Amino acid sequence: MYDMEEIQQELSKKELRMQRREERRNTEEKVQQKKKVMYVLWWIAGIALFGALIGGIVWAIIANKPAPLGEDFSRAMPDEGATHVTEGEKVTYQSQPPTSGDHWPDPLRDGIYDIEKPDEAIVHSLEHGRIWISYRPDIPDEIKEQVRAIAKREVRVIVTPRAANATDIALAAWNRLDTFSKEEFNESRVRDFIRRYRDKGPEYVPQMTGKTY
C-alpha cells in the first residue's frame, strides 16, 4: 500500500503535469489569437493599399485628362493630290501655305527651323500627319519664341518662317488650315489645332523620318 507521502507526491506530479498542459494550452491560444490579429491587420493593410492604388490610378487619369478643345477656327481645304515629283521640282499650290498636293519623295524632318524650308518637302510631312506652324519673318520675336515654346512641348510638329504666307501665322495639317494675325495669336488656339489634326494625314508615320534640307 501507498503511504500518505507517496500519494501526495503523486498528486503533486499530476498537478504539475496539468499545470504545464494548461500553460501550453494558454500559450497556443495566445499564438492563435496573435495570428488572427495579424491576419486581420494584413487584410486591412491590403485593402488600404488596394484603395490607395485605385485612388492613384483615378487621380492620374483625371490629372492627365486633356482639357476640352476650344472652338475650331480652321477650315477644310481642297485636296490637291499626293503625287511624288522629282526633288528640286517646284510645285504651284492653291493656298498659302499649302496643305496637300504634289511633293518631293523625302519629307522634311520634324523640328523647329530658323530658315524657310521647301514647301514640297513639308507637304510630304503633312501627308505623314505632321502639323506645320509657319509665320511671316517680320512678326515680333516675342511671338516667334512663344510659337517655338509650344512646339518644344509637342511631337510631330514642324515650325518654319515663310515669307509667302497670306497672314502672320498659319497652322497647317493635311487638307486643313488656320490663319490669323499676330494680334490674334493665342496659345490655346495653336495647341487645340495640334491636338485635333496631328496624325490625320493619309499616311500614319509616327517615327521621325526625312531630311532637314
Side-chain angles (χ1 to χ4, degrees), residues 12-27:
S12 297
K13 290 179 182 179
K14 289 182 178 179
E15 289 175 353
L16 182 60
R17 286 196 295 270
M18 291 178 63
Q19 183 179 355
R20 288 175 178 173
R21 283 198 297 269
E22 184 67 22
E23 288 175 353
R24 285 197 299 270
R25 185 163 52 249
N26 291 338
T27 300

Side-chain angles (χ1 to χ4, degrees), residues 164-185:
N165 272 7
T167 57
D168 292 329
I169 302 168
L171 312 176
W174 187 260
N175 290 343
R176 205 78 198 181
L177 186 63
D178 183 16
T179 58
F180 48 90
S181 68
K182 57 182 180 292
E183 290 80 14
E184 297 173 295
F185 174 80

Side-chain angles (χ1 to χ4, degrees), residues 195-206:
R195 288 170 56 194
R196 274 194 178 96
Y197 298 112
R198 178 170 47 204
D199 296 330
K200 298 295 177 62
E203 299 177 6
Y204 176 62
V205 184

Side-chain angles (χ1 to χ4, degrees), residues 23-34:
E23 288 175 353
R24 285 197 299 270
R25 185 163 52 249
N26 291 338
T27 300
E28 291 175 357
E29 288 178 354
K30 289 179 180 179
V31 170
Q32 292 300 322
Q33 185 176 9
K34 185 176 180 180

